[in-house]
Amino acid sequence: MKFFIDTADLAEIREAVDMGLIDGVTTNPSLVAKTGRKYRDVIEEICGLVDGPISAEVLSIDYEGMMKEARVWAKVHANVVVKLPLTLDGLKATRACTQAGIKTNVTLCFSANQALLAAKAGATFISPFVGRLDDISDDGMQLIEDIVNIYNNYHFDTEVLVASVRHPIHVHQAALLGADVCTIPFKVIAQLAKHPLTDAGLAKFVEDAKKIPQ
Ligand code: G3P
């Protein structure tokens, strides 16, 4: 399973890259707004840090506006993936981008039928938001299971990119279900390696190592 980091914070991206764990980056308007910087400047800097798919989301909600932005993003860097919302205009733009050879990440997916439409439109990635479903007492990981099964039934090439990840269990379950990618906030990436028994065991080894004759 590929790990993308879900942030526009360059310091977090640099730290995650240094861990050697990152295969790509996803951003969205909310994450970029937090940086206080221009969208293009942030994406260009990220492209210089990570050699993998970098998702940049269109800000338009109409087809024409989406396509105008998609063409601009596609020229910024070969690794830029254009993020499009799962709306009828977004699906139309996904189809047009696919035909133009522009990679897409269809975002704000909350149902299996939406994911089916994105795959039929030729999306490169589909981003089901598991955390936001869990937040309203729905079952985000059940959606992932349904999408993986449906895509396998019809051999769709669209990659399942689990998004809106809230904790390490989401990562564990995404891997068990065979998701292609998990995009993970930096805080959760740091949590993945932590285990109290590892910490306790290492402390004991360090203590006992002092007893080894030098
Ligand atoms: O990539 C989508 C992700 O950033 C959404 O996460 O925590 O806003 O639901 P969240």
Side-chain angles (χ1 to χ4, degrees):
M1 184 168 79
K2 286 172 273 189
F3 280 11
F4 291 2
I5 186 170
D6 192 36
T7 185
D9 182 313
L10 276 301
E12 288 184 343
I13 295 171
R14 286 191 190 91
E15 198 166 343
V17 167
D18 287 347
M19 293 177 187
L21 291 173
I22 299 307
D23 302 302
V25 181
T26 53
T27 71
N28 64 44
S30 305
L31 293 172
V32 174
K34 286 177 187 172
T35 70
R37 299 179 59 194
K38 291 182 178 175
Y39 214 145
R40 182 171 178 137
D41 292 347
V42 172
I43 297 300
E44 286 180 336
E45 193 165 343
I46 293 173
C47 288
L49 287 174
V50 179
D51 183 17
I54 310 296
S55 286
E57 188 160 343
V58 298
L59 305 181
S60 301
I61 60 173
D62 65 294
Y63 169 73
E64 294 301 334
M66 289 177 188
M67 288 311 297
K68 188 176 175 188
E69 290 183 62
R71 291 187 193 99
V72 170
W73 278 126
K75 293 190 178 91
V76 168
H77 193 284
N79 285 341
V80 171
V81 175
V82 177
K83 230 179 181 184
L84 297 159
L86 218 157
T87 61
L88 290 178
D89 278 70
L91 289 166
K92 186 178 173 185
T94 301
R95 169 56 60 197
C97 284
T98 302
Q99 288 165 344
I102 298 171
K103 293 188 185 308
T104 56
N105 177 359
V106 178
T107 189
L108 288 168
C109 173
F110 295 97
S111 77
N113 282 337
Q114 283 183 318
L116 182 55
L117 291 174
K120 287 173 67 65
T124 311
F125 300 100
I126 182 68
S127 288
F129 279 29
V130 297
R132 294 193 189 184
L133 285 167
D134 290 359
D135 290 345
I136 60 166
S137 302
D138 203 333
D139 186 344
M141 296 317 292
Q142 183 58 58
L143 174 59
I144 300 301
E145 183 175 0
D146 292 350
I147 295 172
V148 168
N149 289 339
I150 290 167
Y151 280 18
N152 288 341
N153 288 346
Y154 300 98
H155 311 292
F156 284 123
D157 293 328
T158 301
E159 294 189 55
V160 180
L161 192 167
V162 179
S164 188
V165 165
R166 294 277 193 276
H167 47 67
I169 301 297
H170 277 153
V171 180
H172 175 179
Q173 290 172 327
L176 281 175
L177 291 171
D180 300 285
V181 188
C182 207
T183 193
I184 313 167
F186 181 75
K187 175 174 76 73
V188 177
I189 291 174
Q191 288 173 312
L192 292 175
K194 293 295 289 177
H195 196 293
L197 291 181
T198 302
D199 295 342
L202 184 58
K204 181 71 169 59
F205 287 162
V206 168
E207 197 53 36
D208 289 347
K210 294 172 186 169
K211 303 167 190 167
I212 300 172
Q214 298 303 319

